[in-house]
Amino acid sequence: AQSVAQPEDQVNVAEGNPLTVKCTYSVSGNPYLFWYVQYPNRGLQFLLKYITGDNLVKGSYGFEAEFNKSQTSFHLKKPSALVSDSALYFCAATSGTYKYIFGTGTRLKVLA
Amino acid sequence: GAVVSQHPSRVICKSGTSVKIECRSLDFQATTMFWYRQFPKQSLMLMATSNEGSKATYEQGVEKDKFLINHASLTLSTLTVTSAHPEDSSFYICSAIGQGMNTEAFFGQGTRLTVV
């Protein structure tokens, strides 16, 4: 079965420090990979996507993600975390059918 | 980017009543719309896929008679939760894709349904 895994339920990081939110996938073919952020009682906000090309993808709000095909990973990163980055982050993948397979989400808490 | 709007953003209804949630694509024609459900502190689970003008395709375990989906136009899909029960309380999110949009779907802001 195809799946997306986010192994950490929560990540805590001090403001100003770099952050990483992990994601691995098990999807057939060449998947499209996405990161979304969700604030309480809100929908999903798109951060970035990997379709093809450069393995390092830059997205909104200073976030970036690195696609690693051999490790089937797509970790989300930011060089310097802000308190306002505290939210729920979802990794997702599609195999081209637009049926998104979501990870379970990782709650990011940035401490002042 | 393309905009998808859901209405209402939150709704409270009594047990046994039905409630309708709308999902609109504001600036593109949505050939396909998707409905997701999110339980507290859990991920989004795909409920069904709807193509304009045809019947929705439901995921395994989703009751089609309980969650009625209509996609009658290229800009509107509706999800009707019939005879709602407290266990139907959840966050419902739609997404949409259109012709020429070949890399991603666009998500609505979600609807918080509370059944009392």
Side-chain angles (χ1 to χ4, degrees), chain A residues 38 41 43 49 98 100 103, chain B residues 38 43 102-105 109 112:
Chain A
Q38 185 182 37
N41 291 311
K49 65 183 177 186
Y98 306 105
Y100 280 56
Chain B
Q38 185 182 26
S43 188
N102 56 0
T103 60
E104 69 182 277
Q109 63 269 56
R112 168 74 59 195

Side-chain angles (χ1 to χ4, degrees), chain B:
Chain B
V3 179
V4 175
S5 178
Q6 269 182 255
H7 178 80
S9 57
R10 50 177 75 224
V11 58
I12 301 172
C13 71
K14 291 185 178 180
S15 271
T17 62
S18 296
V19 61
K20 181 184 287 187
I21 302 169
E22 293 185 347
C23 178
R24 293 182 185 273
S25 56
L26 298 186
D27 51 4
F28 68 99
Q29 294 188 322
T31 51
T32 305
M33 286 186 167
F34 304 86
W35 287 95
Y36 295 83
R37 182 174 180 178
Q38 185 182 26
F39 292 98
K41 300 185 180 181
Q42 293 190 30
S43 188
L44 287 78
M45 302 301 295
L46 180 65
M47 298 174 67
T49 303
S50 73
N51 293 300
E52 185 265 338
S54 59
K55 287 186 179 179
T57 302
Y58 290 81
E59 297 298 302
Q60 193 171 6
V62 178
E63 298 175 63
K64 55 184 72 173
D65 293 332
K66 178 156 193 66
F67 299 101
L68 301 178
I69 292 172
N70 183 281
H71 190 168
S73 80
L74 282 170
T75 58
L76 174 65
S77 176
T78 60
L79 167 67
T80 301
V81 183
T82 62
S83 187
H85 289 144
E87 57 264 31
D88 298 326
S89 298
S90 192
F91 195 60
Y92 294 87
I93 302 178
C94 72
S95 70
I97 58 170
Q99 283 185 339
M101 297 172 171
N102 56 0
T103 60
E104 69 182 277
F106 297 90
F107 287 81
Q109 63 269 56
T111 298
R112 168 74 59 195
L113 170 63
T114 304
V115 184
V116 297

